[in-house]
Structure formats: C-alpha cells, structure tokens
Amino acid sequence: MRVLLTGGLGYIGSHTAIALSAAGHHVLIVDDLSNSHREVIDRIEALSGCTMPLLVADVRDEVALLGFLHDHGEVDVAIHFAGLKAVAESVANPERYYDVNIGTTLALLRAMEAHGIADLVFSSSATVYGSSKSVPHTEASSVGTGIANPYGKTKHMIEEILRDACAANPDLRTTALRYFNPVGAHPSGMIGENPRGFPNNLMPIVAGVATGERDEVTVFGHDYSTPDGSGVRDYIHVQDLARGHVLAAEYKSKGFEAINLGSGVPSSVLDLIRAYQEVSGRNIPYSLASRRPGDVAVSYADVVKAERVLGWKAEHTLLEACRDDWAWQQATARKPLP
Ligand code: NAD
Ligand code: UFG
C-alpha cells in the first residue's frame, strides 16, 4: 500500500514510517518541521533502506498538499500525526491549538476526498477519557467529560468531526488510535523523541536528570490512592505503537472506530524513575511535590479491542522502553541539530 503520513518526521511518525516500510508499504511524508528536524528523513531512509518523498509544508497549505499528492500518484491510506501536543502551551494559546489541530484535519479530509483516499488513521489520545474513573479505560468508557486542557479537547473534537464525516460519507473509513503514554526509542539509537523546546512529559525529564542536564525530577503528587502515592499511567513503547499503526493502516474499519493502544500495564511515576535508574546506572534524584493541576490519579488501557480487531498487543516492557530511550539519549538525542 501507499501511505501518506502527516507529521511523519515527528516522534511517533518517524518510527511508524520505518515500520510501514519494513512491512512492504510505500511511505510519503508531509511535515512542516515545526516540532521536528529535516535530517530525520535521512535517518528514516537509512534505517529503512527506502526513499520516501517528503513535502515540507503545513498540512493546511492545501495547494501544496494537493500538488504533492498529484505528483506522487495514488495513496491508499493517510495517517494523521501532524498537530501540536504541548498541554501547557495549549492552555496559554488555545486558539493556535484549535486552529492547527482541527485545521490540519479538515484540510486533510478535503485532500483525501479530492484524491479518492478512503482510509484514515488518526492520532487520538487517552486524554479523551478526561476525568472518567472507569479504569482500565475501554473504548466504551465515557469520553469528553473533564478534559482539562484545550489540547485534549481538540482530540475529542476531532474524533467527533471524524465520526460525523464517516456517517455522512459511507466510503470513508477512520480508525482513531487512542495512545496512552508513548515512551522509548528505536533500538538503533538513531531516532527517538527530539522536540524543539523543553519537554513536559515524564520520560524526557527523567532522561534529562540521568544525563545530568537537570538536577532532579519533581514528582507531581505523592498522595494519590495508588500503591506508592504517585500518579499511575500506561507507558507504551513507541515501537509497539509503530507496529499498531501498520496494522491499523491495513485494517478496514467500519466507518469510525476508536481503538486503545496501550500496554494495559499500570506503572507509577516512581516505577518509571526506578526503571530508568536501573538501565542507565545513574542516580536519579527526585523530590515529592503537590499534584499537577488537571492530572488524573490513574489512567491505563483496556487492550482487548486492539487484540481482537487488529491482532495487536504490546510486546515491550517499560524497562525495555527505558533501555532504548537511554541508548538514544547517549547516541543521538544530545547531539546538536541545526
Ligand atoms: P511530534 O510533535 O513529535 O510530531 C508531530 C509532527 O507533526 C512534527 O514532526 C511536527 O513538525 C509536525 N507538524 C505539526 N504541525 C504541523 C502542520 N500544521 N503541518 C505539518 N506538519 C505539522 O508528536 P508525536 O509525539 O509524534 O505525536 C504525533 C501525534 O500523536 C500528535 O497528533 C499527538 O497529539 C498525538 N499523541 C501524542 C502523544 C504523545 O505523548 N507523544 C500522546 C497521545 C497522542
Ligand atoms: N509527572 C511528574 N513529573 C514531571 C512530569 C510528569 O511527576 O515532571 C507525572 C505526571 O504527574 C503524571 C505522569 O508523570 O502522573 C505522566 O505525565 P506526562 O506529562 O508524561 O503524561 P500525561 O499522562 O500527563 O499526558 C500524556 C501526554 C498527553 C496525552 C496523555 C494521554 O502528555 O498528550 O498522556 O495520552 F494526552
């Protein structure tokens, strides 16, 4: 199949590009480099041994997108990774988040219609479960209530837009993959999470302490009703996520479908710090602080549907994700990029 990846030079997109290529699919990428780096394409091509056409443009630049699709022939499936994902930034600048995340989705839908592309895989998030306490979250758990920030709201709104678009157009098939907490890196150490600006997520912060760039990890909350008092999440190796996208791209959904991609294993903040300490051999000091506003105590996935529908389940452990992230931090992530 020929697969268009929007945001294909980003963290999850770059790993997915390699996995798709390894499965025999042809990959085309559009990315505006707003949170990635041009040389990621060289690394993806080196690791996959394949050339991948790249359009450096905003997905909302419909002239450029349509021209790219026209020049590169038929596409069977689009995977929509492109978007903004920094939770705190979305609180400070909500209009930008609604504009980019929803605008790119609408532009992509129009381009798909113009080019007869019937299948879409969308990067959704466990954030759509909001304040729902029904853990583990199944795809039937309530969504949309108590989502604490504009970023999360865009994911829920986009799911609703795609649901309506599928209802209106019986030819359109959409799978919304609800990722839990993506972590880890490609085992080569050549690609991983390398955002522009400062990271906000736990593993890059823990990695920064292991490398000595930060003094300590601030643990947000130590009084949750969890085994050690810190927040509990479902950390999923990015290589498992990438494989999930290959299967989702090959799957023919019935209209709109949502599928969780998580490990199904609950782990606390302190579990992750311990695991990273073990693989890195570095001391990772931390201090206990008050809860971060908007955080839920516990979030992890019910993974039955992914296995039933896609034949997918996570294969990598949190320890393996820490090991691969540590290799990436040492080999590549800290090297300066233009
Ligand atoms: P990322 O920022 O690394 O990748 C997104 C890519 O999209 C980047 O390369 C960026 O340059 C590009 N991009 C952004 N806006 C664009 C635009 N208007 N036009 C073209 N390209 C654009 O993020 P990621 O971690 O790989 O996440 C991919 C998707 O998965 C995002 O939609 C994100 O919201 C979603 N998601 C991520 C997580 C996570 O924790 N990483 C969790 C749940 C969902
Ligand atoms: N945490 C700390 N200290 C830090 C950073 C995080 O203790 O410095 C804790 C948080 O309080 C939480 C856990 O680590 O308990 C995970 O936090 P992250 O910020 O890494 O991830 P979240 O679960 O808050 O959110 C992530 C993504 C969202 C996505 C959501 C669900 O950032 O984009 O998972 O998929 F929506």
Side-chain angles (χ1 to χ4, degrees), residues 172-206:
L172 181 62
R173 292 180 290 260
T174 296
T175 308
L177 297 177
R178 293 176 178 162
Y179 317 149
F180 281 69
N181 291 55
V183 288
H186 193 270
S188 65
M190 281 176 69
I191 58 167
E193 185 163 24
N194 195 6
R196 295 185 183 271
F198 294 103
N200 297 299
N201 295 118
L202 181 62
M203 189 172 288
I205 288 170
V206 171

PDB file of all heavy atoms in Angstrom, residues 172-206:
ATOM      1  N   LEU A 172     -15.942   6.547   3.587  1.00  0.00           N
ATOM      2  CA  LEU A 172     -14.813   6.936   4.445  1.00  0.00           C
ATOM      3  C   LEU A 172     -14.690   5.964   5.619  1.00  0.00           C
ATOM      4  O   LEU A 172     -15.680   5.656   6.291  1.00  0.00           O
ATOM      5  CB  LEU A 172     -15.050   8.363   4.975  1.00  0.00           C
ATOM      6  CG  LEU A 172     -13.962   8.959   5.863  1.00  0.00           C
ATOM      7  CD1 LEU A 172     -12.626   9.104   5.115  1.00  0.00           C
ATOM      8  CD2 LEU A 172     -14.413  10.344   6.376  1.00  0.00           C
ATOM      9  N   ARG A 173     -13.469   5.496   5.840  1.00  0.00           N
ATOM     10  CA  ARG A 173     -13.203   4.599   6.978  1.00  0.00           C
ATOM     11  C   ARG A 173     -12.128   5.245   7.848  1.00  0.00           C
ATOM     12  O   ARG A 173     -11.055   5.604   7.336  1.00  0.00           O
ATOM     13  CB  ARG A 173     -12.710   3.229   6.498  1.00  0.00           C
ATOM     14  CG  ARG A 173     -13.762   2.421   5.757  1.00  0.00           C
ATOM     15  CD  ARG A 173     -13.200   1.082   5.326  1.00  0.00           C
ATOM     16  NE  ARG A 173     -12.217   1.234   4.262  1.00  0.00           N
ATOM     17  CZ  ARG A 173     -12.466   1.026   2.969  1.00  0.00           C
ATOM     18  NH1 ARG A 173     -13.647   0.616   2.579  1.00  0.00           N
ATOM     19  NH2 ARG A 173     -11.526   1.202   2.064  1.00  0.00           N
ATOM     20  N   THR A 174     -12.411   5.377   9.134  1.00  0.00           N
ATOM     21  CA  THR A 174     -11.474   6.066  10.020  1.00  0.00           C
ATOM     22  C   THR A 174     -11.231   5.275  11.295  1.00  0.00           C
ATOM     23  O   THR A 174     -12.182   4.840  11.950  1.00  0.00           O
ATOM     24  CB  THR A 174     -12.040   7.450  10.415  1.00  0.00           C
ATOM     25  OG1 THR A 174     -12.143   8.247   9.250  1.00  0.00           O
ATOM     26  CG2 THR A 174     -11.140   8.148  11.399  1.00  0.00           C
ATOM     27  N   THR A 175      -9.965   5.096  11.631  1.00  0.00           N
ATOM     28  CA  THR A 175      -9.614   4.478  12.903  1.00  0.00           C
ATOM     29  C   THR A 175      -8.905   5.523  13.756  1.00  0.00           C
ATOM     30  O   THR A 175      -7.855   6.042  13.353  1.00  0.00           O
ATOM     31  CB  THR A 175      -8.667   3.273  12.695  1.00  0.00           C
ATOM     32  OG1 THR A 175      -9.258   2.399  11.735  1.00  0.00           O
ATOM     33  CG2 THR A 175      -8.454   2.520  13.996  1.00  0.00           C
ATOM     34  N   ALA A 176      -9.494   5.844  14.894  1.00  0.00           N
ATOM     35  CA  ALA A 176      -8.840   6.772  15.831  1.00  0.00           C
ATOM     36  C   ALA A 176      -8.095   5.929  16.852  1.00  0.00           C
ATOM     37  O   ALA A 176      -8.703   5.174  17.620  1.00  0.00           O
ATOM     38  CB  ALA A 176      -9.889   7.645  16.513  1.00  0.00           C
ATOM     39  N   LEU A 177      -6.783   6.041  16.844  1.00  0.00           N
ATOM     40  CA  LEU A 177      -5.977   5.268  17.792  1.00  0.00           C
ATOM     41  C   LEU A 177      -5.761   6.126  19.037  1.00  0.00           C
ATOM     42  O   LEU A 177      -5.192   7.224  18.943  1.00  0.00           O
ATOM     43  CB  LEU A 177      -4.635   4.885  17.155  1.00  0.00           C
ATOM     44  CG  LEU A 177      -4.734   3.979  15.923  1.00  0.00           C
ATOM     45  CD1 LEU A 177      -3.341   3.735  15.324  1.00  0.00           C
ATOM     46  CD2 LEU A 177      -5.397   2.643  16.261  1.00  0.00           C
ATOM     47  N   ARG A 178      -6.255   5.644  20.149  1.00  0.00           N
ATOM     48  CA  ARG A 178      -6.110   6.399  21.401  1.00  0.00           C
ATOM     49  C   ARG A 178      -4.851   5.915  22.110  1.00  0.00           C
ATOM     50  O   ARG A 178      -4.855   4.880  22.787  1.00  0.00           O
ATOM     51  CB  ARG A 178      -7.343   6.185  22.286  1.00  0.00           C
ATOM     52  CG  ARG A 178      -8.596   6.797  21.677  1.00  0.00           C
ATOM     53  CD  ARG A 178      -9.831   6.510  22.509  1.00  0.00           C
ATOM     54  NE  ARG A 178     -11.014   7.142  21.920  1.00  0.00           N
ATOM     55  CZ  ARG A 178     -12.269   6.815  22.205  1.00  0.00           C
ATOM     56  NH1 ARG A 178     -12.515   5.862  23.101  1.00  0.00           N
ATOM     57  NH2 ARG A 178     -13.272   7.435  21.622  1.00  0.00           N
ATOM     58  N   TYR A 179      -3.757   6.689  21.909  1.00  0.00           N
ATOM     59  CA  TYR A 179      -2.493   6.294  22.536  1.00  0.00           C
ATOM     60  C   TYR A 179      -2.544   6.610  24.019  1.00  0.00           C
ATOM     61  O   TYR A 179      -3.020   7.665  24.417  1.00  0.00           O
ATOM     62  CB  TYR A 179      -1.292   7.071  21.999  1.00  0.00           C
ATOM     63  CG  TYR A 179      -1.188   7.290  20.521  1.00  0.00           C
ATOM     64  CD1 TYR A 179      -0.578   8.441  20.047  1.00  0.00           C
ATOM     65  CD2 TYR A 179      -1.652   6.368  19.596  1.00  0.00           C
ATOM     66  CE1 TYR A 179      -0.428   8.679  18.697  1.00  0.00           C
ATOM     67  CE2 TYR A 179      -1.508   6.596  18.238  1.00  0.00           C
ATOM     68  CZ  TYR A 179      -0.908   7.760  17.795  1.00  0.00           C
ATOM     69  OH  TYR A 179      -0.774   7.999  16.453  1.00  0.00           O
ATOM     70  N   PHE A 180      -1.930   5.771  24.800  1.00  0.00           N
ATOM     71  CA  PHE A 180      -1.716   6.093  26.205  1.00  0.00           C
ATOM     72  C   PHE A 180      -0.391   6.865  26.295  1.00  0.00           C
ATOM     73  O   PHE A 180      -0.260   7.873  25.623  1.00  0.00           O
ATOM     74  CB  PHE A 180      -1.891   4.831  27.069  1.00  0.00           C
ATOM     75  CG  PHE A 180      -3.386   4.582  27.260  1.00  0.00           C
ATOM     76  CD1 PHE A 180      -4.190   4.187  26.197  1.00  0.00           C
ATOM     77  CD2 PHE A 180      -4.000   4.866  28.468  1.00  0.00           C
ATOM     78  CE1 PHE A 180      -5.580   4.074  26.337  1.00  0.00           C
ATOM     79  CE2 PHE A 180      -5.380   4.748  28.618  1.00  0.00           C
ATOM     80  CZ  PHE A 180      -6.166   4.349  27.554  1.00  0.00           C
ATOM     81  N   ASN A 181       0.594   6.471  27.036  1.00  0.00           N
ATOM     82  CA  ASN A 181       1.774   7.341  27.172  1.00  0.00           C
ATOM     83  C   ASN A 181       2.960   6.786  26.374  1.00  0.00           C
ATOM     84  O   ASN A 181       3.668   5.891  26.850  1.00  0.00           O
ATOM     85  CB  ASN A 181       2.137   7.489  28.648  1.00  0.00           C
ATOM     86  CG  ASN A 181       1.113   8.305  29.418  1.00  0.00           C
ATOM     87  OD1 ASN A 181      -0.068   7.971  29.407  1.00  0.00           O
ATOM     88  ND2 ASN A 181       1.542   9.363  30.061  1.00  0.00           N
ATOM     89  N   PRO A 182       3.192   7.331  25.185  1.00  0.00           N
ATOM     90  CA  PRO A 182       4.286   6.816  24.338  1.00  0.00           C
ATOM     91  C   PRO A 182       5.659   7.124  24.942  1.00  0.00           C
ATOM     92  O   PRO A 182       5.920   8.247  25.377  1.00  0.00           O
ATOM     93  CB  PRO A 182       4.108   7.585  23.024  1.00  0.00           C
ATOM     94  CG  PRO A 182       2.717   8.143  23.060  1.00  0.00           C
ATOM     95  CD  PRO A 182       2.433   8.391  24.498  1.00  0.00           C
ATOM     96  N   VAL A 183       6.505   6.129  24.974  1.00  0.00           N
ATOM     97  CA  VAL A 183       7.877   6.280  25.516  1.00  0.00           C
ATOM     98  C   VAL A 183       8.834   5.406  24.702  1.00  0.00           C
ATOM     99  O   VAL A 183       8.409   4.587  23.896  1.00  0.00           O
ATOM    100  CB  VAL A 183       7.965   5.856  27.016  1.00  0.00           C
ATOM    101  CG1 VAL A 183       7.291   6.868  27.921  1.00  0.00           C
ATOM    102  CG2 VAL A 183       7.389   4.463  27.230  1.00  0.00           C
ATOM    103  N   GLY A 184      10.147   5.581  24.959  1.00  0.00           N
ATOM    104  CA  GLY A 184      11.140   4.734  24.313  1.00  0.00           C
ATOM    105  C   GLY A 184      11.600   5.306  22.983  1.00  0.00           C
ATOM    106  O   GLY A 184      11.250   6.430  22.611  1.00  0.00           O
ATOM    107  N   ALA A 185      12.390   4.523  22.280  1.00  0.00           N
ATOM    108  CA  ALA A 185      13.012   4.988  21.047  1.00  0.00           C
ATOM    109  C   ALA A 185      13.325   3.776  20.173  1.00  0.00           C
ATOM    110  O   ALA A 185      13.224   2.619  20.625  1.00  0.00           O
ATOM    111  CB  ALA A 185      14.297   5.750  21.371  1.00  0.00           C
ATOM    112  N   HIS A 186      13.733   4.063  18.935  1.00  0.00           N
ATOM    113  CA  HIS A 186      14.130   2.978  18.032  1.00  0.00           C
ATOM    114  C   HIS A 186      15.382   2.295  18.594  1.00  0.00           C
ATOM    115  O   HIS A 186      16.299   2.985  19.072  1.00  0.00           O
ATOM    116  CB  HIS A 186      14.419   3.564  16.637  1.00  0.00           C
ATOM    117  CG  HIS A 186      14.540   2.535  15.578  1.00  0.00           C
ATOM    118  ND1 HIS A 186      15.750   1.940  15.265  1.00  0.00           N
ATOM    119  CD2 HIS A 186      13.610   1.971  14.774  1.00  0.00           C
ATOM    120  CE1 HIS A 186      15.540   1.058  14.284  1.00  0.00           C
ATOM    121  NE2 HIS A 186      14.255   1.056  13.973  1.00  0.00           N
ATOM    122  N   PRO A 187      15.440   0.962  18.541  1.00  0.00           N
ATOM    123  CA  PRO A 187      16.582   0.272  19.162  1.00  0.00           C
ATOM    124  C   PRO A 187      17.940   0.622  18.544  1.00  0.00           C
ATOM    125  O   PRO A 187      18.972   0.410  19.176  1.00  0.00           O
ATOM    126  CB  PRO A 187      16.261  -1.219  18.980  1.00  0.00           C
ATOM    127  CG  PRO A 187      15.087  -1.297  18.084  1.00  0.00           C
ATOM    128  CD  PRO A 187      14.408   0.033  18.072  1.00  0.00           C
ATOM    129  N   SER A 188      17.938   1.197  17.340  1.00  0.00           N
ATOM    130  CA  SER A 188      19.203   1.633  16.723  1.00  0.00           C
ATOM    131  C   SER A 188      19.829   2.800  17.473  1.00  0.00           C
ATOM    132  O   SER A 188      21.015   3.092  17.296  1.00  0.00           O
ATOM    133  CB  SER A 188      18.941   2.087  15.281  1.00  0.00           C
ATOM    134  OG  SER A 188      18.109   3.239  15.305  1.00  0.00           O
ATOM    135  N   GLY A 189      19.025   3.518  18.262  1.00  0.00           N
ATOM    136  CA  GLY A 189      19.515   4.744  18.909  1.00  0.00           C
ATOM    137  C   GLY A 189      19.558   5.928  17.957  1.00  0.00           C
ATOM    138  O   GLY A 189      20.011   7.012  18.315  1.00  0.00           O
ATOM    139  N   MET A 190      19.060   5.741  16.713  1.00  0.00           N
ATOM    140  CA  MET A 190      19.154   6.837  15.728  1.00  0.00           C
ATOM    141  C   MET A 190      17.936   7.747  15.682  1.00  0.00           C
ATOM    142  O   MET A 190      18.021   8.882  15.207  1.00  0.00           O
ATOM    143  CB  MET A 190      19.395   6.269  14.329  1.00  0.00           C
ATOM    144  CG  MET A 190      20.838   5.870  14.097  1.00  0.00           C
ATOM    145  SD  MET A 190      21.047   5.101  12.500  1.00  0.00           S
ATOM    146  CE  MET A 190      20.770   6.462  11.379  1.00  0.00           C
ATOM    147  N   ILE A 191      16.794   7.228  16.101  1.00  0.00           N
ATOM    148  CA  ILE A 191      15.637   8.123  16.190  1.00  0.00           C
ATOM    149  C   ILE A 191      14.937   7.936  17.529  1.00  0.00           C
ATOM    150  O   ILE A 191      14.997   6.870  18.144  1.00  0.00           O
ATOM    151  CB  ILE A 191      14.617   7.961  15.026  1.00  0.00           C
ATOM    152  CG1 ILE A 191      14.102   6.539  14.938  1.00  0.00           C
ATOM    153  CG2 ILE A 191      15.185   8.421  13.705  1.00  0.00           C
ATOM    154  CD1 ILE A 191      12.884   6.422  14.027  1.00  0.00           C
ATOM    155  N   GLY A 192      14.299   8.996  17.968  1.00  0.00           N
ATOM    156  CA  GLY A 192      13.609   8.992  19.256  1.00  0.00           C
ATOM    157  C   GLY A 192      12.882  10.309  19.391  1.00  0.00           C
ATOM    158  O   GLY A 192      12.691  11.013  18.396  1.00  0.00           O
ATOM    159  N   GLU A 193      12.500  10.639  20.603  1.00  0.00           N
ATOM    160  CA  GLU A 193      11.768  11.890  20.798  1.00  0.00           C
ATOM    161  C   GLU A 193      12.763  13.035  20.898  1.00  0.00           C
ATOM    162  O   GLU A 193      13.632  13.034  21.756  1.00  0.00           O
ATOM    163  CB  GLU A 193      10.913  11.816  22.069  1.00  0.00           C
ATOM    164  CG  GLU A 193      10.055  13.053  22.224  1.00  0.00           C
ATOM    165  CD  GLU A 193       8.906  12.887  23.198  1.00  0.00           C
ATOM    166  OE1 GLU A 193       9.000  12.019  24.076  1.00  0.00           O
ATOM    167  OE2 GLU A 193       7.928  13.642  23.077  1.00  0.00           O
ATOM    168  N   ASN A 194      12.620  14.002  20.004  1.00  0.00           N
ATOM    169  CA  ASN A 194      13.573  15.115  19.972  1.00  0.00           C
ATOM    170  C   ASN A 194      12.826  16.412  19.685  1.00  0.00           C
ATOM    171  O   ASN A 194      12.981  17.016  18.634  1.00  0.00           O
ATOM    172  CB  ASN A 194      14.635  14.858  18.892  1.00  0.00           C
ATOM    173  CG  ASN A 194      15.826  15.766  19.064  1.00  0.00           C
ATOM    174  OD1 ASN A 194      15.921  16.511  20.032  1.00  0.00           O
ATOM    175  ND2 ASN A 194      16.740  15.714  18.113  1.00  0.00           N
ATOM    176  N   PRO A 195      11.972  16.837  20.620  1.00  0.00           N
ATOM    177  CA  PRO A 195      11.141  18.001  20.339  1.00  0.00           C
ATOM    178  C   PRO A 195      11.956  19.283  20.341  1.00  0.00           C
ATOM    179  O   PRO A 195      13.028  19.340  20.937  1.00  0.00           O
ATOM    180  CB  PRO A 195      10.146  18.002  21.513  1.00  0.00           C
ATOM    181  CG  PRO A 195      10.877  17.337  22.621  1.00  0.00           C
ATOM    182  CD  PRO A 195      11.788  16.332  21.979  1.00  0.00           C
ATOM    183  N   ARG A 196      11.452  20.299  19.662  1.00  0.00           N
ATOM    184  CA  ARG A 196      12.031  21.626  19.815  1.00  0.00           C
ATOM    185  C   ARG A 196      11.517  22.160  21.154  1.00  0.00           C
ATOM    186  O   ARG A 196      10.403  21.891  21.547  1.00  0.00           O
ATOM    187  CB  ARG A 196      11.573  22.535  18.672  1.00  0.00           C
ATOM    188  CG  ARG A 196      12.090  22.056  17.307  1.00  0.00           C
ATOM    189  CD  ARG A 196      11.727  23.037  16.203  1.00  0.00           C
ATOM    190  NE  ARG A 196      12.166  22.524  14.901  1.00  0.00           N
ATOM    191  CZ  ARG A 196      13.367  22.754  14.373  1.00  0.00           C
ATOM    192  NH1 ARG A 196      14.261  23.450  15.045  1.00  0.00           N
ATOM    193  NH2 ARG A 196      13.674  22.261  13.181  1.00  0.00           N
ATOM    194  N   GLY A 197      12.341  22.881  21.872  1.00  0.00           N
ATOM    195  CA  GLY A 197      11.902  23.439  23.162  1.00  0.00           C
ATOM    196  C   GLY A 197      12.034  22.431  24.290  1.00  0.00           C
ATOM    197  O   GLY A 197      12.649  21.370  24.124  1.00  0.00           O
ATOM    198  N   PHE A 198      11.432  22.769  25.424  1.00  0.00           N
ATOM    199  CA  PHE A 198      11.605  21.946  26.627  1.00  0.00           C
ATOM    200  C   PHE A 198      10.550  20.855  26.708  1.00  0.00           C
ATOM    201  O   PHE A 198       9.381  21.091  26.430  1.00  0.00           O
ATOM    202  CB  PHE A 198      11.516  22.820  27.881  1.00  0.00           C
ATOM    203  CG  PHE A 198      12.645  23.793  27.983  1.00  0.00           C
ATOM    204  CD1 PHE A 198      12.438  25.127  27.675  1.00  0.00           C
ATOM    205  CD2 PHE A 198      13.912  23.382  28.352  1.00  0.00           C
ATOM    206  CE1 PHE A 198      13.481  26.039  27.748  1.00  0.00           C
ATOM    207  CE2 PHE A 198      14.966  24.282  28.430  1.00  0.00           C
ATOM    208  CZ  PHE A 198      14.753  25.616  28.123  1.00  0.00           C
ATOM    209  N   PRO A 199      10.962  19.637  27.113  1.00  0.00           N
ATOM    210  CA  PRO A 199       9.959  18.583  27.249  1.00  0.00           C
ATOM    211  C   PRO A 199       9.093  18.791  28.493  1.00  0.00           C
ATOM    212  O   PRO A 199       9.528  19.400  29.458  1.00  0.00           O
ATOM    213  CB  PRO A 199      10.814  17.323  27.413  1.00  0.00           C
ATOM    214  CG  PRO A 199      12.122  17.786  27.934  1.00  0.00           C
ATOM    215  CD  PRO A 199      12.314  19.182  27.448  1.00  0.00           C
ATOM    216  N   ASN A 200       7.858  18.288  28.434  1.00  0.00           N
ATOM    217  CA  ASN A 200       6.961  18.348  29.594  1.00  0.00           C
ATOM    218  C   ASN A 200       6.616  16.963  30.109  1.00  0.00           C
ATOM    219  O   ASN A 200       6.062  16.833  31.190  1.00  0.00           O
ATOM    220  CB  ASN A 200       5.639  19.030  29.207  1.00  0.00           C
ATOM    221  CG  ASN A 200       5.854  20.459  28.782  1.00  0.00           C
ATOM    222  OD1 ASN A 200       6.330  21.261  29.569  1.00  0.00           O
ATOM    223  ND2 ASN A 200       5.550  20.764  27.534  1.00  0.00           N
ATOM    224  N   ASN A 201       6.886  15.954  29.304  1.00  0.00           N
ATOM    225  CA  ASN A 201       6.477  14.603  29.680  1.00  0.00           C
ATOM    226  C   ASN A 201       7.526  13.953  30.568  1.00  0.00           C
ATOM    227  O   ASN A 201       8.697  14.323  30.560  1.00  0.00           O
ATOM    228  CB  ASN A 201       6.224  13.750  28.433  1.00  0.00           C
ATOM    229  CG  ASN A 201       5.059  14.273  27.624  1.00  0.00           C
ATOM    230  OD1 ASN A 201       5.231  14.670  26.479  1.00  0.00           O
ATOM    231  ND2 ASN A 201       3.892  14.306  28.224  1.00  0.00           N
ATOM    232  N   LEU A 202       7.060  12.954  31.294  1.00  0.00           N
ATOM    233  CA  LEU A 202       7.897  12.391  32.350  1.00  0.00           C
ATOM    234  C   LEU A 202       9.208  11.777  31.836  1.00  0.00           C
ATOM    235  O   LEU A 202      10.279  12.089  32.364  1.00  0.00           O
ATOM    236  CB  LEU A 202       7.084  11.347  33.139  1.00  0.00           C
ATOM    237  CG  LEU A 202       7.829  10.693  34.290  1.00  0.00           C
ATOM    238  CD1 LEU A 202       8.241  11.708  35.345  1.00  0.00           C
ATOM    239  CD2 LEU A 202       6.958   9.597  34.922  1.00  0.00           C
ATOM    240  N   MET A 203       9.145  10.885  30.827  1.00  0.00           N
ATOM    241  CA  MET A 203      10.388  10.188  30.474  1.00  0.00           C
ATOM    242  C   MET A 203      11.496  11.122  29.963  1.00  0.00           C
ATOM    243  O   MET A 203      12.643  10.991  30.416  1.00  0.00           O
ATOM    244  CB  MET A 203      10.166   9.022  29.508  1.00  0.00           C
ATOM    245  CG  MET A 203      11.464   8.216  29.380  1.00  0.00           C
ATOM    246  SD  MET A 203      11.387   6.687  28.468  1.00  0.00           S
ATOM    247  CE  MET A 203      10.493   5.607  29.552  1.00  0.00           C
ATOM    248  N   PRO A 204      11.202  12.093  29.071  1.00  0.00           N
ATOM    249  CA  PRO A 204      12.290  13.003  28.680  1.00  0.00           C
ATOM    250  C   PRO A 204      12.855  13.783  29.870  1.00  0.00           C
ATOM    251  O   PRO A 204      14.047  14.093  29.893  1.00  0.00           O
ATOM    252  CB  PRO A 204      11.618  13.944  27.674  1.00  0.00           C
ATOM    253  CG  PRO A 204      10.393  13.263  27.229  1.00  0.00           C
ATOM    254  CD  PRO A 204       9.970  12.319  28.314  1.00  0.00           C
ATOM    255  N   ILE A 205      12.030  14.070  30.859  1.00  0.00           N
ATOM    256  CA  ILE A 205      12.506  14.791  32.043  1.00  0.00           C
ATOM    257  C   ILE A 205      13.411  13.883  32.877  1.00  0.00           C
ATOM    258  O   ILE A 205      14.503  14.274  33.304  1.00  0.00           O
ATOM    259  CB  ILE A 205      11.306  15.329  32.854  1.00  0.00           C
ATOM    260  CG1 ILE A 205      10.679  16.497  32.077  1.00  0.00           C
ATOM    261  CG2 ILE A 205      11.719  15.754  34.256  1.00  0.00           C
ATOM    262  CD1 ILE A 205       9.353  16.981  32.604  1.00  0.00           C
ATOM    263  N   VAL A 206      12.993  12.635  33.059  1.00  0.00           N
ATOM    264  CA  VAL A 206      13.823  11.671  33.794  1.00  0.00           C
ATOM    265  C   VAL A 206      15.151  11.466  33.054  1.00  0.00           C
ATOM    266  O   VAL A 206      16.230  11.425  33.669  1.00  0.00           O
ATOM    267  CB  VAL A 206      13.056  10.333  33.961  1.00  0.00           C
ATOM    268  CG1 VAL A 206      13.954   9.248  34.507  1.00  0.00           C
ATOM    269  CG2 VAL A 206      11.840  10.529  34.869  1.00  0.00           C
TER     270      VAL A 206
END
